C-alpha cells in the first residue's frame, strides 16, 4: 500500500491505520484493491471483510471524484463523513431542516402547483400518463380529405414546460440545467422557443435570467439496449459534471412495448420484463436520491374494457352444523351429492353487503386488481350516479365505462410500485362547444377538454382518481389551468 499516497495524495490514511500495515506486509497494492475481490484480500491479509470492503469503496470513490464522475460533496457525505471527517447528515434533523431543503419545480400556474403540493420535487420519480396524439380526418366541400394532427392529453407539453422552469431560480426552479431523454421523437425545439417567447413571466426576464435551450441536454434512445446503457453509464456522468436538476424521459413505455411485441408473451418473457422494470426503477431512484434531481417520465395508456357479464363477489358462509353427506336410505348417494353441492356452492350475496355510498364503486370484488386500480391509475370505473331506470349498480358502472372510456397506464402494477407520484392527464370530448350538441369546429382542437388528476403522491394528498380533476388547456406558453368565472363576468 505504499503507492496509495502516490495515487491519491490527499487520501485520509489515518482512518485505516489498523489495515494498512497488514496490507503492506502482504504486498497488496492499490491496483489489487480495485481489481481483486474484497474477500480474497481479507483472506490474504487476515483482516475483517467489512473493513476491507469499506476501504476499497473509499479508494474507488476518491478516484471517481478526481475524474469528475462523483462530486466531492458526495464523497465527503457518504464515505469520509460516515467515518468521522466531515459533518454527517445526521438522522436527528428536525422538520424545519427538511422543509428548508425541499426543492420543487413549478409549473408557473398556482392552481396546478397547489394540486401538486408546491410542484415537482427533487429526489422522486414522477409519472405523467395520458393518451397520445391522434389524427382527425375532415371532409371539406371540395371533397378533399384533410388530416389534422391533434395533440393528445398534453404529456409532452407538460414536460417541455418543466424543462424550462427548472432553469429558473427558486422558488420557481432549481437554477440547474435539464436532461431530455427521448424514446420516440427528437426534442421539439421550435415548441420550446414558442414557450419562451409567449409566456409573459418568461419573456419578461433579462437575457441572463432567461432559460436557454443550450442548457437542455437531449439524448435519444431508439431501443431498450441503448436506453439501459445510457441510464447506467452516461447519465450519471452527465449529472456529476453539469449538475443537472431534472431528467425527463419521454416515454418510458415505448421501448418496452416494442421489445415485447418482438418477443413471445410467455411466462419467461414476462418475468424478464418484470426484472427489467425493477432494475430501471432502482436506477432512477438512485439517480434522484444521489444527485438530488427530479425524474419525470411520461407513460402511455391502454383502454380498459368492462366485462360483458360481471359476476358478483362471492363470499363463503359457515354453517352452524355440518351437512350430512352420508345417508342410510336407498337414495343416500344422491342426497349426499346434493348436500355436498350445497356445501361447496356459496350462498347468494347479502342484499346489502356494502354501505350505500360504496355500492356503485365498482362491478368487481373489492380485493381484486380490477377494483383496486380505480385508486392508483387515474381513471376510475365509478362511482357513477345510478339513474332511475337502472336497477343494479353493475348497469350504472357499465354505462360509466362506456361514456368515460377509462384507461390503464402501461407497464402494469410492477412499474406503479416504482414511482412516487402519478399525474393522469385525461382528455374528454366537449360536445357542448358552439351550442347544444355541437361537435364541429374549425380545427377540431376545441372539441376536447383536458383535466389533470394527481392519482397519488408520496408528498401530498393529490386529487384522487374519482373526481374530474383540474381543467387545463394547452396554449402558446405551455399549460395553464382554467378557472371557472362567476356568472355575469366576461
Amino acid at each position: 500500500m505504499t503507492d496509495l499516497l502516490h495515487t491519491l495524495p490527499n487520501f485520509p490514511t489515518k482512518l485505516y491505520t489498523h489495515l494498512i500495515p497488514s496490507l503492506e506486509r502482504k504486498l497488496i497494492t492499490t491496483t489489487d484493491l480495485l481489481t481483486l475481490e474484497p474477500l480474497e484480500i481479507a483472506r490474504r491479509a487476515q483482516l475483517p471483510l467489512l473493513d476491507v470492503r469499506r476501504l476499497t469503496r473509499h479508494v474507488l470513490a476518491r478516484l471517481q471524484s478526481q475524474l469528475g464522475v462523483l462530486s466531492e460533496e458526495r464523497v465527503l457525505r457518504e464515505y469520509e463523513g460516515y467515518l468521522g471527517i466531515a459533518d454527517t447528515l445526521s438522522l436527528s434533523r428536525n422538520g424545519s431542516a427538511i422543509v428548508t431543503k425541499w426543492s420543487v419545480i413549478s409549473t408557473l400556474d398556482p392552481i396546478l402547483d397547489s394540486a401538486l403540493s408546491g410542484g415537482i420535487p427533487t429526489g422522486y420519480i414522477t409519472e405523467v400518463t395520458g393518451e397520445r396524439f391522434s389524427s382527425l380526418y375532415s371532409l371539406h366541400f371540395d371533397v378533399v380529405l384533410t388530416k389534422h394532427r391533434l395533440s393528445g392529453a398534453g404529456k409532452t407539453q407538460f414536460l417541455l414546460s418543466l424543462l424550462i422552469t427548472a432553469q429558473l431560480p427558486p422558488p420557481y426552479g432549481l437554477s440547474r440545467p435539464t436532461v431530455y431523454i427521448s424514446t420516440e421523437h427528437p426534442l421539439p425545439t421550435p415548441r420550446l422557443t414558442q414557450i419562451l417567447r409567449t409566456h409573459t413571466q418568461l419573456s419578461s426576464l433579462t437575457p441572463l435570467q432567461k432559460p436557454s435551450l443550450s442548457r437542455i441536454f437531449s439524448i435519444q434512445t431508439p431501443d431498450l439496449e441503448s436506453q439501459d446503457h445510457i441510464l447506467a453509464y452516461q447519465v450519471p456522468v452527465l449529472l456529476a459534471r453539469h449538475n443537472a436538476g431534472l431528467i425527463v424521459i419521454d416515454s418510458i413505455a415505448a421501448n418496452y412495448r416494442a421489445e415485447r411485441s418482438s418477443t413471445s408473451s410467455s411466462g419467461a418473457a414476462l418475468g424478464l420484463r418484470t426484472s427489467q422494470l425493477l432494475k430501471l426503477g432502482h436506477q432512477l431512484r438512485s439517480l434522484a436520491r444521489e444527485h438530488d434531481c427530479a425524474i419525470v417520465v411520461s407513460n402511455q395508456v391502454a383502454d380498459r374494457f368492462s366485462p360483458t357479464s360481471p359476476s358478483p363477489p362471492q363470499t363463503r358462509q359457515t354453517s352452524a352444523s355440518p351437512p350430512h353427506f352420508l345417508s342410510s336410505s336407498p337414495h343416500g348417494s344422491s342426497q349426499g351429492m346434493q348436500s355436498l353441492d350445497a356445501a361447496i356452492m356459496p350462498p347468494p350475496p347479502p342484499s346489502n353487503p356494502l354501505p350505500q355510498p360504496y355500492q356503485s364503486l365498482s362491478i368487481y370484488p373489492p380485493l381484486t386488481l380490477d377494483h383496486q386500480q380505480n385508486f392508483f391509475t387515474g381513471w376510475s370505473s365509478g362511482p357513477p350516479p345510478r339513474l332511475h331506470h337502472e336497477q343494479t349498480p353493475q348497469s350504472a358502472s357499465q354505462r360509466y365505462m362506456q361514456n368515460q372510456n377509462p384507461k390503464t397506464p402501461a407497464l402494469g402494477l410492477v412499474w406503479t410500485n416504482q414511482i412516487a407520484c402519478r399525474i393522469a392527464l385525461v382528455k374528454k370530448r366537449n360536445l357542448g362547444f358552439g351550442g347544444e350538441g355541437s361537435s364541429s369546429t374549425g380545427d377540431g382542437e376545441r372539441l376536447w377538454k383536458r383535466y389533470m388528476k394527481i392519482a397519488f403522491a408520496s408528498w401530498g394528498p393529490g386529487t384522487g382518481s374519482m373526481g374530474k380533476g383540474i381543467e387545463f388547456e394547452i396554449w402558446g406558453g405551455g399549460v395553464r389551468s382554467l378557472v371557472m368565472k362567476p356568472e355575469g363576468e366576461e
Side-chain angles (χ1 to χ4, degrees), residues 7-23:
T7 307
L8 298 171
N10 297 325
F11 188 82
T13 56
K14 293 182 179 180
L15 298 173
Y16 303 99
T17 53
H18 61 294
L19 303 179
I20 293 180
S22 299
L23 296 174

Side-chain angles (χ1 to χ4, degrees), residues 137-357:
Y137 292 89
S138 59
L139 186 63
H140 298 280
F141 291 105
D142 53 355
V143 198
V144 176
L145 194 63
T146 305
K147 179 180 178 181
H148 303 280
R149 175 172 171 175
L150 305 181
S151 60
K155 301 189 302 295
T156 301
Q157 306 298 325
F158 187 86
L159 299 178
L160 294 180
S161 300
L162 295 179
L163 289 174
I164 294 176
T165 55
Q167 302 180 33
L168 296 175
Y172 299 105
L174 308 173
S175 296
R176 297 162 66 182
T178 56
V179 182
Y180 181 80
I181 302 176
S182 174
T183 60
E184 297 178 286
H185 306 287
L187 178 67
T189 52
R191 176 59 177 147
L192 290 171
T193 305
Q194 182 187 21
I195 294 175
L196 290 171
R197 184 179 62 252
T198 306
H199 201 287
T200 55
Q201 188 170 350
L202 298 175
S203 59
S204 61
L205 298 175
T206 62
L208 295 178
Q209 298 175 340
K210 196 172 185 179
S212 172
L213 299 186
S214 61
R215 302 191 68 193
I216 301 177
F217 299 94
S218 178
I219 306 173
Q220 282 192 272
T221 58
D223 50 50
L224 190 58
E225 183 179 359
S226 62
Q227 174 181 312
D228 293 340
H229 177 81
I230 288 172
L231 291 177
Y233 299 101
Q234 297 185 15
V235 171
V237 176
L238 189 149
L239 293 176
R241 292 183 178 180
H242 299 280
N243 191 27
L246 170 66
I247 300 177
V248 170
I249 304 178
D250 188 15
S251 72
I252 197 67
N255 288 331
Y256 287 98
R257 280 188 164 183
E259 191 77 11
R260 184 180 180 184
S261 62
S262 61
T263 59
S264 62
S265 58
S266 61
L270 294 177
L272 177 61
R273 194 182 76 159
T274 298
S275 63
Q276 291 173 344
L277 292 175
L278 293 175
K279 179 182 177 182
L280 174 65
H282 175 72
Q283 286 179 339
L284 296 180
R285 286 195 305 272
S286 299
L287 291 174
R289 181 178 62 255
E290 294 172 2
H291 299 276
D292 192 27
C293 64
I295 296 182
V296 184
V297 303
S298 67
N299 195 4
Q300 303 169 2
V301 295
D303 289 318
R304 190 190 308 172
F305 299 95
S306 60
T308 55
S309 58
S311 59
Q314 297 179 353
T315 57
R316 183 174 297 276
Q317 182 177 358
T318 58
S319 177
S321 60
H324 300 281
F325 299 111
L326 301 178
S327 176
S328 59
S329 63
H331 303 285
S333 178
S334 61
Q335 292 177 356
M337 292 301 298
Q338 292 176 1
S339 301
L340 182 60
D341 292 339
I344 295 177
M345 295 300 294
S351 58
N352 191 15
L354 294 174
Q356 184 65 27

Side-chain angles (χ1 to χ4, degrees), residues 310 363 384 386 389-400:
I363 59 180
R386 190 187 304 180
H389 63 276
E390 294 175 329
Q391 302 298 327
T392 61
Q394 285 82 5
S395 58
S397 294
Q398 286 180 336
R399 171 180 53 81
Y400 181 87

Side-chain angles (χ1 to χ4, degrees), residues 89-93:
L89 294 176
S90 63
L91 298 177
S92 59
R93 289 188 303 179

Side-chain angles (χ1 to χ4, degrees), residues 33-224:
L33 287 178
L34 301 175
T35 56
L36 299 179
E37 290 291 334
L39 181 59
E40 182 179 350
I41 297 176
R43 288 177 178 176
R44 287 174 52 182
Q46 299 294 319
L47 293 174
L49 175 60
L50 295 180
D51 292 344
V52 173
R53 185 173 296 170
R54 187 179 298 118
L55 172 62
T56 303
R57 292 178 178 176
H58 194 176
V59 172
L60 180 61
R62 273 289 184 172
L63 291 174
Q64 291 176 340
S65 176
Q66 288 187 352
L67 296 176
V69 178
L70 292 180
S71 62
E72 186 72 19
E73 296 178 357
R74 180 184 171 187
V75 176
L76 292 174
R77 180 176 69 250
E78 295 189 3
Y79 297 94
E80 299 175 10
Y82 173 76
L83 296 172
I85 291 183
D87 295 333
T88 62
L89 294 176
S90 63
L91 298 177
S92 59
R93 289 188 303 179
N94 52 21
S96 60
I98 297 177
V99 171
T100 55
K101 193 176 176 58
W102 182 261
S103 301
V104 295
I105 303 173
S106 173
T107 62
L108 299 184
D109 187 281
I111 297 179
L112 298 181
D113 286 344
S114 176
L116 291 167
S117 301
I120 305 295
T122 58
Y124 296 92
I125 304 176
T126 303
E127 179 195 271
V128 182
T129 183
E131 298 179 73
R132 299 179 62 188
F133 66 86
S134 58
S135 298
L136 175 68
Y137 292 89
S138 59
L139 186 63
H140 298 280
F141 291 105
D142 53 355
V143 198
V144 176
L145 194 63
T146 305
K147 179 180 178 181
H148 303 280
R149 175 172 171 175
L150 305 181
S151 60
K155 301 189 302 295
T156 301
Q157 306 298 325
F158 187 86
L159 299 178
L160 294 180
S161 300
L162 295 179
L163 289 174
I164 294 176
T165 55
Q167 302 180 33
L168 296 175
Y172 299 105
L174 308 173
S175 296
R176 297 162 66 182
T178 56
V179 182
Y180 181 80
I181 302 176
S182 174
T183 60
E184 297 178 286
H185 306 287
L187 178 67
T189 52
R191 176 59 177 147
L192 290 171
T193 305
Q194 182 187 21
I195 294 175
L196 290 171
R197 184 179 62 252
T198 306
H199 201 287
T200 55
Q201 188 170 350
L202 298 175
S203 59
S204 61
L205 298 175
T206 62
L208 295 178
Q209 298 175 340
K210 196 172 185 179
S212 172
L213 299 186
S214 61
R215 302 191 68 193
I216 301 177
F217 299 94
S218 178
I219 306 173
Q220 282 192 272
T221 58
D223 50 50
L224 190 58

